[in-house]
Amino acid sequence: MIPSIHKRGSETVGLIRYLYGPGTKEEHTDPHLVVAFDPLTPDPGRDPSATYQQLQRLLDQPVNALPKGRRPAKHVWHISVRASPEDPILSDEDWAAIARRTVAATGIAPDGDDAACRWAAVRHADDHIHIIATLVRDDGRRPRLHNEARRAQAEARRIETDYHLRQVTPGDGTAAKRPSRAARHKAERLGQQAASQELLREHVRRALAGAADEAEFFDRLAAEGVRIDKRLAPSGDALGYKVAIVGDDNKAQEPVWYAGSTLAPDLSLPRIRQRFAAADLEAEPAALDRSGASAPARARHAAADATDTARAAFASGDERTVAAQLVGVGEVLDALAQTTAGPSHAELREAAWHFERATRSHIRAKNEEMYALRRAARQIVHSGTAPGRGPDGTATALILDVVILAVIAAARWHTARGHAQQAEAAQQAAGHLRTAYQAAAAEPLAALRAHGERLPVRNRQRHSNTVRAALPHLADRLRAEPGWDSLVMVLDQAEQAGYDTAALLAKAAARRELGSAGSASDVLIWRLHHLGYITPPPQRPRSQPTPAPGAAPLTGTVPRQEAARPHRR
């Protein structure tokens, strides 16, 4: 049950015409009154002799009884109450009871108050009602409407329980403002994927991901094709900014502007500057470079380290540190969404879209704690686009495996603190990340599996013995999983590179428990890849195996004299 209080108006009859009219897209069916302050209230929807003006005069009577100088300029109060899509269709009697509870909870018409405001509830669709009220009581006083939106939400939660409806997660005042119905309809007319303010919020977050300073942020925002208007001080310094979508103009053919703070609470210029002040990203160290890996692969390996550190902090760090690292993980996701090509791209964009809600709470972030993650996001952005195949695809699958765990940990952290909306957003992001991971991992895992199946029997037996010795409690499970042949291939690559495979395997398993993993073998494959990337082999490689096509060999398997040569396909 979702109550939405709309902007106050000055024309009662105008809103009545809309409620009883066909709607902007002929979506209003059978408009009629379900309940009102007075049982004898005329209903233009069902009574042919009733008119809009009669209903307007009845509702406005207490307003017009006041001297003109005392009448409120905006006296029309309007709230819509909408059921969730999965809820059953409620009867008019049910909606009438819900309307009475809503006006009582908000202060429009408290229970037992005979001099309350006048109101009427109109239904013109199966799933919602609109309540119109005038903001002068019958005794000439104004209603007490302090925090009426919060009180309407609280009553909606009780209504959900009483009517066995879907339990909507309560808000906490940190969510971005939803676009109005008019904005959504306008987006459809313009052929946009979403309302302008939603598209602009995504553009701003993409430009902010890993940006070192204000100049780079605005340059990247302009490169996204967004209109920018800065509010400047006499000194020339920006005091604020607003943005607009090209082609989204008002009736005067002027751009429809949105200030950063109206897109989301954390996108105002002062809040953005706090991120820039926390660390000097221009002085960043280069991402670790081994085995001639591409820039996108190097950046993704560095981001995996930073994200895994943040994941661990979600379980043990103080709240301000975690709040900062949530923002940092959000920037890493935004960076991945804009630099990952192939089948994972759309799901990554959805994941970033959802997770941005999980980055905001009332806990004040310790901004310096997001430095490593912001630096990782910067490296991802500046490394360029990673195709969804070959070594870059492997690195993408690896970072997604780590990010999924971090996002799940974020959902648990929010749940433990009662942050319902943030926890739900993180869970939705995790679902899209799993789909993105499956798309990214399919090719490299298939290539490893094909090569693992063709290994000599003696090699396979040796690696099987290594697994049983290093991980006796997991050996049988790993051998039964579809990823077993891929894991054997990675161990063979590591052995050829000179690693102690038993020690490397034990180290990979110790990084986090594997009991809850959907595929323990897949998790170990990415951990072994990453460990091989960030640590040099303890001895010179004995020989060079043929890398699996489409999958990067474990770091260290390419001899130095061949490091510049391309991988064989």
Side-chain angles (χ1 to χ4, degrees):
M1 191 66 61
I2 305 170
S4 299
I5 296 179
H6 303 266
K7 290 183 178 179
R8 297 181 184 182
S10 57
E11 292 189 10
T12 306
V13 72
L15 179 55
I16 292 173
R17 286 197 182 99
Y18 167 75
L19 297 180
Y20 281 97
T24 56
K25 300 178 68 176
E26 304 291 331
E27 72 274 21
H28 295 178
T29 58
D30 187 24
H32 60 279
L33 202 69
V34 294
V35 69
F37 77 103
D38 185 339
L40 299 180
T41 299
D43 180 8
R46 294 285 174 84
D47 183 354
S49 63
T51 65
Y52 299 157
Q53 288 73 21
Q54 286 176 326
L55 180 56
Q56 174 256 320
R57 285 194 295 269
L58 184 64
L59 293 174
D60 278 347
Q61 186 174 347
V63 179
N64 294 332
L66 292 175
K68 287 188 177 181
R70 291 183 53 199
R71 297 174 189 173
K74 302 283 187 179
H75 70 275
V76 182
W77 187 85
H78 175 205
I79 186 173
S80 57
V81 184
R82 186 178 300 271
S84 296
E86 58 269 42
D87 287 338
I89 295 177
L90 300 174
S91 66
D92 280 355
E93 290 74 19
D94 290 334
W95 279 117
I98 290 168
R100 291 190 188 95
R101 292 176 63 165
T102 301
V103 294
T106 54
I108 290 293
D111 289 335
D113 188 344
D114 296 333
C117 296
R118 299 189 175 192
W119 58 275
V122 176
R123 183 180 187 182
H124 55 212
D126 285 340
D127 63 348
H128 69 279
I129 58 170
H130 291 260
I131 302 173
I132 178 175
T134 48
L135 297 179
V136 176
R137 293 162 47 88
D138 275 359
D139 57 12
R141 296 186 292 118
R142 304 285 181 87
R144 299 182 63 181
L145 298 179
H146 180 64
N147 280 335
E148 79 263 36
R150 184 174 298 177
R151 285 186 273 137
Q153 291 287 350
E155 187 62 28
R157 303 293 81 78
R158 290 187 284 268
I159 290 170
E160 289 161 358
T161 299
D162 293 345
Y163 285 82
H164 307 290
L165 306 176
R166 181 202 168 200
Q167 296 289 308
V168 176
T169 51
D172 62 0
T174 63
K177 186 177 180 181
R178 294 183 179 182
S180 65
R181 176 176 296 183
R184 293 195 298 270
H185 287 167
K186 185 176 184 181
E188 291 179 11
R189 293 197 305 272
L190 295 175
Q192 297 176 177
Q193 293 180 333
S196 291
Q197 68 194 79
E198 293 177 316
L199 295 177
L200 288 167
R201 184 165 67 249
E202 184 179 25
H203 283 305
V204 171
R205 295 185 69 88
R206 285 164 57 119
L208 182 56
D213 53 33
E214 197 171 313
E216 182 182 358
F217 165 65
F218 282 120
D219 286 345
R220 285 168 58 180
L221 194 53
E224 292 260 344
V226 173
R227 286 175 166 171
I228 306 169
D229 184 17
K230 301 179 188 177
R231 183 165 56 89
L232 301 176
S235 63
D237 295 330
L239 299 175
Y241 75 101
K242 55 186 178 180
V243 288
I245 293 287
V246 174
D248 184 4
D249 300 327
N250 58 23
K251 292 181 180 179
Q253 300 302 304
E254 298 170 337
V256 178
W257 296 103
Y258 294 87
S261 58
T262 65
L263 298 177
D266 59 338
L267 296 183
S268 67
L269 191 55
R271 294 282 295 276
I272 288 174
R273 282 172 172 160
Q274 289 175 7
R275 299 196 200 185
F276 298 147
D280 182 9
L281 294 188
E282 291 288 3
E284 67 188 44
L288 183 64
D289 185 2
R290 292 193 187 280
S291 300
S294 68
R298 296 197 305 271
R300 279 156 174 74
H301 277 282
D305 271 349
T307 306
D308 198 48
T309 300
R311 177 198 59 77
F314 292 164
S316 58
D318 67 86
E319 290 190 337
R320 292 189 60 199
T321 294
V322 174
Q325 291 180 330
L326 285 168
V327 175
V329 171
E331 288 203 27
V332 168
L333 259 177
D334 286 324
L336 288 171
Q338 60 188 296
T339 60
T340 301
S344 298
H345 173 75
E347 292 294 333
L348 274 172
R349 184 179 174 188
E350 287 294 322
W353 180 284
H354 286 289
F355 192 73
E356 67 94 16
R357 178 67 188 95
T359 65
R360 293 192 303 274
S361 70
H362 287 296
I363 298 171
R364 186 171 182 176
K366 193 183 294 183
N367 287 314
E368 59 272 18
E369 296 293 342
M370 69 176 77
Y371 170 62
L373 288 159
R374 294 205 70 240
R375 184 181 67 195
R378 178 173 178 79
Q379 290 171 342
I380 291 172
V381 170
H382 284 269
S383 69
T385 300
R389 62 185 184 279
D392 290 343
T394 300
T396 297
L398 186 151
I399 179 62
L400 291 181
D401 179 68
V402 176
V403 172
I404 288 170
L405 295 177
V407 169
I408 292 172
R412 291 171 178 166
W413 185 85
H414 279 305
T415 299
R417 284 151 186 81
H419 304 165
Q421 286 194 353
Q422 292 89 335
E424 183 179 29
Q427 289 164 353
Q428 289 174 319
H432 288 289
L433 284 169
R434 289 188 184 98
T435 305
Y437 163 78
Q438 291 166 359
E443 181 186 18
L445 288 177
L448 286 168
R449 182 169 59 251
H451 276 250
E453 290 171 348
R454 294 198 296 268
L455 283 174
V457 174
R458 64 181 181 277
N459 290 39
R460 293 174 59 86
Q461 186 59 50
R462 186 170 63 254
H463 299 315
S464 178
N465 292 339
T466 298
V467 171
R468 188 164 296 279
L471 306 173
H473 59 295
L474 284 173
D476 290 338
R477 174 185 173 185
L478 291 170
R479 286 182 61 87
E481 288 185 347
W484 169 251
D485 291 318
S486 303
L487 178 61
V488 167
M489 184 60 193
V490 173
L491 290 172
D492 199 69
Q493 290 176 326
E495 181 183 69
Q496 294 292 334
Y499 288 97
D500 179 341
T501 53
L504 196 67
L505 191 59
K507 187 175 181 180
R511 298 192 76 172
R512 191 186 73 89
E513 60 85 23
L514 292 166
S516 62
S519 171
S521 52
D522 287 3
V523 172
L524 287 173
I525 286 168
W526 303 127
R527 291 184 191 173
L528 289 168
H529 265 291
H530 189 56
L531 286 171
Y533 186 92
I534 63 176
T535 58
Q539 62 188 62
R540 188 173 181 79
R542 294 191 294 270
S543 63
Q544 168 65 16
T546 302
L554 194 77
T555 302
T557 61
V558 182
R560 292 182 182 177
Q561 64 269 26
E562 298 183 12
R565 292 167 60 182
H567 299 306
R568 286 194 288 168
R569 301 284 183 196

